[in-house]
Amino acid sequence: ERAFLMFSMLTIVILLALICISVTGRTFFNLPIPDDVVLAENLMPLIVALPFAYATARRGHIEVEVFTSWLPKQFFRPLSAFAHLLALLIFSGILWCVWIGVLKDLDSGQYYEGELALPVWPAKLVFVIALALFCLRLLLNLLEDLGLKKASTAEHPAEHIS
């Protein structure tokens, strides 16, 4: 999870450099990086999806507590378990659909039209890997919430309520 986070952070730096070099090249030398927009689009899933599992492990996602803040503390773990189960079901479905898309792109040899003729599947495959790790982390959090797995060192949301 930490390695995925670090790779995502490195990707932000690479994207920043790509855009700066391309804009500078286009502005001053009329020579942008070929397919710079396609490259930037394909770096976005790395930046966005790779940190999902890291944030989930630390239970760091944004939570809306309008309806739950007034509940007694004994309801927090069951509600957290329900939320993790629901998220696991939803993201497992998304994972499956994207995986089918990767297989179709691999089979068809689909690529982006442009100077570099980049294949479509690599960014989607990275997204699949990130979603798979995210789903695994959701499952581990669900097991913790149900008391079937010892809690990790990450704090539980119930510990944040005053």
Side-chain angles (χ1 to χ4, degrees):
E1 293 164 346
R2 189 166 194 70
F4 276 31
L5 175 68
M6 297 307 233
F7 192 68
S8 176
M9 292 165 52
L10 176 64
T11 305
I12 292 171
V13 173
I14 292 169
L15 179 60
L16 178 69
L18 171 81
I19 292 169
C20 287
I21 292 168
S22 189
V23 168
T24 302
R26 179 179 293 118
T27 303
F28 296 112
F29 308 107
N30 198 25
L31 188 65
I33 294 176
D35 292 337
D36 57 345
V37 174
V38 173
L39 290 169
E41 287 175 1
N42 281 285
L43 290 176
M44 290 298 170
L46 281 75
I47 294 168
V48 173
L50 288 178
F52 283 173
Y54 182 85
T56 304
R58 280 131 194 90
R59 298 178 185 259
H61 293 289
I62 296 171
E63 296 176 349
V64 179
E65 299 175 348
V66 173
F67 300 108
T68 60
S69 62
W70 52 270
L71 291 173
K73 285 186 179 183
Q74 68 258 25
F75 288 102
F76 291 153
R77 280 198 188 267
L79 284 174
S80 182
F82 176 72
H84 285 114
L85 176 62
L86 188 61
L88 180 60
L89 292 173
I90 291 169
F91 282 99
S92 294
I94 293 170
L95 171 63
W96 180 253
C97 290
V98 176
W99 174 244
I100 296 300
V102 168
L103 293 177
K104 286 180 182 178
D105 290 344
L106 275 169
D107 188 45
S108 70
Q110 188 175 5
Y111 63 92
Y112 293 102
E113 291 188 24
E115 291 180 51
L116 301 178
L118 298 169
V120 172
W121 63 268
K124 290 182 183 179
L125 182 61
V126 171
F127 190 69
V128 164
I129 293 167
L131 278 181
L133 184 62
F134 178 51
C135 287
L136 178 61
R137 176 43 71 181
L138 285 169
L139 177 63
L140 292 174
N141 283 7
L142 174 62
L143 294 175
E144 286 177 12
D145 292 339
L146 295 174
L148 301 174
K149 179 186 173 295
K150 185 179 176 187
S152 64
T153 57
E155 294 181 17
H156 193 273
E159 297 169 4
H160 296 291
I161 305 301
S162 54

